[in-house]
Amino acid sequence: MGGSTDVDEAFEWMIDRSGGGDFVVIRATGTDAYNDYIYNLGKVNSVETIIITSIEMANKPSIESKIKNAEALFIAGGDQWDYVKFWKNTKVEDAINYLINTRHVPVGGTSAGCAILGHVYFSAQYGTVTSSQALNNPYDRRVTLGRDDFIDIPILQQTITDTHYDNPDRKGRHTVFLARMVQDWSMNAKGIGVEEETAVCIDANNIATVFGYGNGTAFFLQKTDLGPEVCQPNTKLTWNRNSQAVKIYKIENALNGNGSFNLNDWSTASGGTWSYFWVNEGIFHEE
């Protein structure tokens, strides 16, 4: 989910696929406000929020056990650097990946909780970075990317998520993240950008559907044939490639779900429109 107002229908989608068992929410700050909210959305056995605020807590066997036994897991919003510094390389990380890859239960997140779900992620180690800052210097110290060392969702390999896509506009910085993935690691870089009040739900066949309110949109980004023309420290990004640097598919949300996007091939899609992002000397453009 892209942040702001939670999307009831996305939680209902998770509950339906959980079998009505134990629903666990994890976070590093905040309250247990999700408990009553989720409990009232559908038939679940229980809802519990676990606030994990240190490496020591993240390595507690009791917390690991609660996560491993969940039938659905949701990562709340907050500061993703808290999640990286407290949870990476701990029993919590192991438990999350166990749910994803062994038990195959629904796992999701909103805002910062969504930002860490890709195999590549913006860690926010030095705070957030704006599109303008990133476009003017793709190697700004705030452009901190992790890769292949945290949450392991296989279908999101070489993929980075971004949220609050419309408030503020984060399309530019997301394009920079993809440029860095190509420049630094020669990846076939892909991304999923989610506007507020919007949720991307990916089923067991890796087909994404977009839920939400208020005409929000989800964006599926992929590099085209060539990487950036100019991507180096202290220099404005240029990634033009005949105004077709990054191919995107846009799907507007709907209360009961809209569109489909096949993450197996990143080409089979319906209910949306194809377009492009590109950058000239630090200026972001969208078709």
Side-chain angles (χ1 to χ4, degrees):
M1 276 190 270
S4 187
T5 303
D6 288 310
V7 180
D8 295 357
E9 289 72 19
F11 279 100
E12 291 168 354
W13 186 95
M14 290 184 71
I15 291 168
D16 287 345
R17 285 154 182 78
S18 74
D22 298 320
F23 201 119
V24 172
V25 178
I26 57 174
R27 60 195 314 166
T29 58
T31 70
D32 63 359
Y34 272 114
N35 291 6
D36 288 342
Y37 166 72
I38 294 171
Y39 197 83
N40 290 324
L41 283 175
K43 185 179 179 181
V44 294
N45 183 55
S46 68
V47 185
E48 180 177 5
T49 295
I50 308 172
I51 302 174
I52 307 164
T53 60
S54 67
I55 294 171
E56 291 73 22
M57 286 188 69
N59 276 316
K60 284 187 175 181
S62 59
I63 290 177
E64 177 190 27
S65 177
K66 286 181 179 181
I67 296 172
K68 280 189 169 183
N69 287 316
E71 272 73 50
L73 178 74
F74 188 75
I75 306 172
D79 180 344
Q80 62 254 41
W81 179 239
D82 285 341
Y83 301 158
V84 176
K85 71 182 178 183
F86 294 148
W87 303 351
K88 190 163 80 76
N89 299 322
T90 69
K91 292 182 183 298
V92 164
E93 178 192 306
D94 293 342
I96 296 170
N97 289 329
Y98 172 78
L99 291 182
I100 294 165
N101 294 305
T102 301
R103 294 192 55 215
H104 306 290
V105 307
V107 173
T110 187
S111 189
C114 175
I116 61 172
L117 294 180
H119 261 245
V120 182
Y121 56 91
F122 171 55
S123 72
Q125 181 175 359
Y126 302 114
T128 193
V129 64
T130 67
S131 285
S132 176
Q133 290 164 342
L135 289 163
N136 280 292
N137 179 10
Y139 289 85
D140 186 297
R141 71 188 294 269
R142 290 163 289 195
V143 182
T144 50
L145 303 180
R147 60 170 291 207
D148 301 328
D149 62 2
F150 195 15
I151 307 302
D152 178 20
I153 300 177
I155 199 61
L156 296 184
Q157 292 182 19
Q158 302 189 87
T159 303
I160 186 167
T161 63
D162 207 359
T163 59
H164 300 281
Y165 222 56
D166 51 338
N167 183 27
D169 186 342
R170 289 182 169 174
K171 297 171 187 174
R173 79 171 196 179
H174 203 191
T175 302
V176 170
F177 296 162
L178 267 66
R180 286 282 305 273
M181 291 162 65
V182 177
Q183 186 75 14
D184 296 355
W185 302 315
S186 301
M187 287 187 172
N188 181 25
K190 300 183 287 289
I192 301 174
V194 191
E195 291 187 348
E196 294 183 349
E197 301 183 342
T198 301
V200 176
C201 295
I202 303 168
D203 68 17
N205 296 314
N206 301 320
I207 307 300
T209 304
V210 182
F211 294 79
Y213 317 122
N215 299 316
T217 302
F219 296 75
F220 300 85
L221 290 65
Q222 56 188 304
K223 70 173 283 289
T224 51
D225 291 338
L226 299 171
E229 289 92 340
V230 179
C231 183
Q232 58 192 39
N234 302 310
T235 304
K236 295 177 180 180
L237 176 69
T238 291
W239 194 6
N240 186 313
R241 302 304 178 188
N242 296 315
S243 304
Q244 295 183 346
V246 178
K247 188 176 183 180
I248 63 170
Y249 194 73
K250 300 185 289 187
I251 301 177
E252 289 190 2
N253 69 31
L255 196 62
N256 296 313
N258 180 48
S260 70
F261 191 85
N262 190 329
L263 296 176
N264 297 298
D265 61 17
W266 283 76
S267 62
T268 305
S270 65
T273 57
W274 291 101
S275 186
Y276 292 95
F277 292 167
W278 68 96
V279 179
N280 281 327
E281 295 185 345
I283 304 300
F284 173 81
H285 299 271
E286 177 181 4
E287 185 179 73

